[in-house]
Every structure is written in C-alpha cells, then in structure tokens.
Amino acid sequence: GAIRAIPVNTEASTYSLVAGDVGKVINAGGTVTVPASIFSAGDVITIFNNTAGSLTITCSAITTAYKAGTDADVDSVTIDTRGVATILFITTTLCVISGDLG
C-alpha cells in the first residue's frame, strides 16, 4: 500500500473506536468513544473534528487516559473546531491524547 497515505474512516455521528481503526484518521461528526482493552501498546488513531463546534472524545472505559503534557487522568477531552487529536496507546488500558485539545 501507500506508505505515506493514511486511510480515512468517515463517521457522521457518535462513534466507538474499533481495532480496525488503528493507523487511520477518523473523520468525526460526533462524539468518539475509546473502549477499554481493545488496543495494544503502540497503536495510534487520529481523530479529525469535522464539525463547526467542539467534539468530545470519551475515555471513561480506559483505565488511564492522559491529556498530553499533564499528569491528570481524564474521562474525556475536547477537540477544537476542525482540530486534530492523536491517541497513542501505551498499554491496553493506558493512552495519551495530544493535539488541538480545548
């Protein structure tokens, strides 16, 4: 496949991430949920907020979710309008989210 091309998964409404989303960009039109114990260490998923307002990534099922650059476990983060966020899984139950977070 194309080494420098990132596949896009367009989701127009609320969406729960699945294992098949690893290595993809989710073109999101609604809240994105990160389920627990589906992803492995090193997995990466990018979310694009394709709305005119803020978009929420809900992480309450993950044991630990950090907003990059902080030391606080968060249940959710907000992606700014037309912003991009990347979720990096450190273990199956720990992730770090970085990007255009409000």
Side-chain angles (χ1 to χ4, degrees):
I3 294 173
R4 291 182 178 86
I6 301 172
V8 177
N9 176 8
T10 299
E11 297 295 336
S13 60
T14 300
Y15 181 67
S16 185
L17 297 174
V18 297
D21 291 324
V22 172
K24 293 182 180 177
V25 172
I26 307 303
N27 181 10
T31 299
V32 175
T33 300
V34 182
S37 301
I38 290 180
F39 304 103
S40 300
D43 285 351
V44 176
I45 300 170
T46 299
I47 312 293
F48 170 62
N49 175 4
N50 196 9
T51 72
S54 297
L55 184 144
T56 301
I57 298 175
T58 302
C59 314
S60 57
I62 295 290
T63 303
T64 306
Y66 292 115
K67 182 177 175 180
T70 71
D71 192 31
D73 183 7
V74 295
D75 287 336
S76 65
V77 296
T78 302
I79 305 174
D80 296 332
T81 301
R82 308 293 179 204
V84 175
T86 298
I87 305 169
L88 168 63
F89 292 87
I90 306 304
T91 70
T92 58
T93 59
L94 187 151
C95 70
V96 177
I97 305 170
S98 63
D100 301 313
L101 306 177

